[in-house]
Amino acid sequence: MLYLWLKALHIVSVVCWFAGLFYLPRLFVYHAQSEDSISQERFSVMERKLYRGIMGPAMIATLIFGGALISLNPGAYFGQGGWMHAKLTLVVLLIGYHHMCGAQVKRFARGENTRSHVFYRWFNEVPVVILLAIVILVVVRPF
């Protein structure tokens, strides 16, 4: 029963984390397009609250619950091919993306953004590709 609770909490954490990973770069798009100081300040506040209040805790919860699942039965995850190694590699890349978002939140807050809204539209697609790959690895387990 513990395993099922951990799995449910892991999935909820992942959903919350990805919600932030999808929305924050969208805020960057709008922030990069904004020209008045009121809008820029509003976007900075929204970005900071999303990053610190939702994304950070959700990422930590995802890692804790995922690690707990693995610790309960490591053979089930690592003894059946390399899919888990590939998934964990993607998770590490996702953590890097998360921190890149955090660095960008700080740049916007200081008024130092040098990138266009078009860059952020493409930047927003990175977590989509990673999520697609992770779901395929977990469900299909191709190797």
Side-chain angles (χ1 to χ4, degrees):
M1 191 66 156
L2 175 63
Y3 177 82
L4 295 177
W5 277 103
L6 289 172
K7 192 175 194 178
L9 292 170
H10 179 66
I11 291 169
V12 169
S13 301
V14 168
V15 169
C16 292
W17 188 22
F18 268 95
L21 289 170
F22 291 154
Y23 188 52
L24 185 60
R26 179 54 50 185
L27 288 176
F28 294 160
V29 170
Y30 301 139
H31 197 159
Q33 290 177 318
S34 69
E35 296 177 5
D36 61 290
S37 61
I38 294 172
S39 294
Q40 291 172 357
E41 180 60 32
R42 183 177 297 130
F43 283 120
S44 287
V45 169
M46 292 170 65
E47 291 158 359
R48 185 186 76 248
K49 288 183 176 186
L50 177 61
Y51 185 76
R52 290 186 179 177
I54 296 172
M55 292 172 61
M59 177 187 71
I60 291 167
T62 297
L63 298 174
I64 288 170
F65 294 129
L69 286 169
I70 291 171
S71 71
L72 287 178
N73 194 359
Y77 293 106
F78 293 109
Q80 301 174 353
W83 69 272
M84 181 55 87
H85 293 91
K87 176 191 171 187
L88 292 176
T89 300
L90 291 172
V91 170
V92 168
L93 291 174
L94 200 58
I95 292 168
Y97 179 86
H98 175 100
H99 289 293
M100 287 175 63
C101 286
Q104 193 57 45
V105 166
K106 291 176 184 175
R107 276 189 214 101
F108 269 118
R110 293 188 308 259
E112 298 173 356
N113 176 53
T114 58
R115 296 185 171 125
S116 73
H117 67 93
V118 175
F119 170 83
Y120 294 113
R121 290 181 193 279
W122 286 103
F123 184 71
N124 196 31
E125 301 306 319
V126 172
V128 174
V129 172
I130 293 175
L131 177 63
L132 179 64
I134 287 174
V135 169
I136 289 170
L137 286 168
V138 171
V139 174
V140 178
R141 297 184 184 187
F143 49 88

